[in-house]
Amino acid sequence: MSSEPPPPGPGQPPDDDPFKKQPPPAEGGGSPYDPPPPGGQTPPYGSQPPPFEGQPPPSGGGGPYGGGGDPYGGGGPYGGDPLAGMPPLAESGKRVLARILDMILVLIVVWLLSWAFGVTEYNVDSDKIEYGKSFGQSLVAAVCFVAYDTVMISKSGQTLGKRLFNHRVANLDNGSTPSVQTSLVRALVLWIPFAFCCACIWTAIAGGWSFFDKPYKQGLHDKAAKTVVVDSRA
């Protein structure tokens, strides 16, 4: 009588297979890694059993904070509320107050650096205007504002003004703190026009957009970065 073990039967893994993988099924069979359901019938590969009666459809999982669907208000594949699962959005009026506080703090730093480097606002006399100093101060302002927003938002989602008003910047798709890249895009859109050409006009347009935007109350800089401002206490 031979001492060798009998060869594996059909549908059984070979003894030297360390992962116990099943051989591929015949054409039209189920997944080789799924156990057969009761009754011996194998569903087609990739098929799913029908939901139980009364069970709600599964969430799409791709929307803000698990809400599913298009991050810009598509409402999800089942027509659900695009704000479902999100913390309350920050009030636009309080966002303006937080931004004004941040601007005051950063402008103090800008003025000190401009004075230290001799690039204070341009001087006018009867013969010339020193535009170089004006550009120098704009450059200092752009660097300070962009750096402030990028570092603070990527670190915790909050600037000092937002922290005072319990606001937080979050990624629209999942509610997480924005990355450095996302925070930089957001800051560049908001502060480059402010520093070099449009000043308070652009800030009013970009930030004031949140008063009219639906459903996420996004400023133009939020739209560019796909972020929202929410209540950090939620």
Side-chain angles (χ1 to χ4, degrees):
M1 180 179 296
S2 173
S3 59
E4 296 182 359
Q12 295 181 355
D15 290 339
D16 59 350
D17 185 352
F19 298 104
K20 302 298 181 184
K21 293 179 291 187
Q22 299 291 330
E27 184 175 356
S31 168
Y33 300 102
D34 293 335
Q41 296 295 325
T42 302
Y45 182 81
S47 65
Q48 297 180 353
F52 294 105
E53 184 177 358
Q55 180 179 355
S59 171
Y65 308 86
D70 180 5
Y72 282 102
Y78 302 104
D81 182 359
L83 300 178
M86 289 179 63
L89 297 172
E91 296 180 16
S92 296
K94 291 184 177 180
R95 288 180 62 176
V96 171
L97 296 177
R99 179 62 67 191
I100 290 174
L101 177 59
D102 286 328
M103 289 178 64
I104 292 173
L105 294 175
V106 177
L107 283 173
I108 292 174
V109 177
V110 170
W111 182 84
L112 292 174
L113 291 176
S114 299
W115 175 78
F117 288 104
V119 289
T120 53
E121 190 63 52
Y122 58 79
N123 300 316
V124 180
D125 59 26
S126 58
D127 298 321
K128 64 178 181 178
I129 301 177
E130 297 183 24
Y131 289 104
K133 290 187 176 181
S134 176
F135 177 81
Q137 188 176 49
S138 296
L139 183 61
V140 171
V143 171
C144 288
F145 275 106
V146 170
Y148 173 75
D149 258 30
T150 301
V151 172
M152 298 293 287
I153 296 300
S154 63
K155 183 178 180 181
S156 64
Q158 295 178 303
T159 60
L160 295 177
K162 286 180 171 57
R163 187 173 300 172
L164 179 64
F165 285 91
N166 297 305
H167 294 168
R168 180 175 70 89
V169 179
N171 288 322
L172 177 59
D173 59 349
N174 57 20
S176 62
T177 299
S179 65
V180 173
Q181 180 178 355
T182 300
S183 301
L184 179 60
V185 170
R186 188 176 186 274
L188 289 173
V189 172
L190 182 60
W191 295 119
I192 292 300
F194 167 85
F196 288 103
C197 60
C198 305
C200 293
I201 297 177
W202 173 251
T203 306
I205 294 174
W209 199 269
S210 67
F211 283 89
F212 311 101
D213 183 72
K214 302 294 181 182
Y216 299 118
K217 297 184 179 180
Q218 292 174 299
L220 295 181
H221 50 305
D222 288 312
K223 287 189 173 296
K226 294 183 173 61
T227 56
V228 287
V229 181
V230 298
D231 191 329
S232 62
R233 295 168 296 184

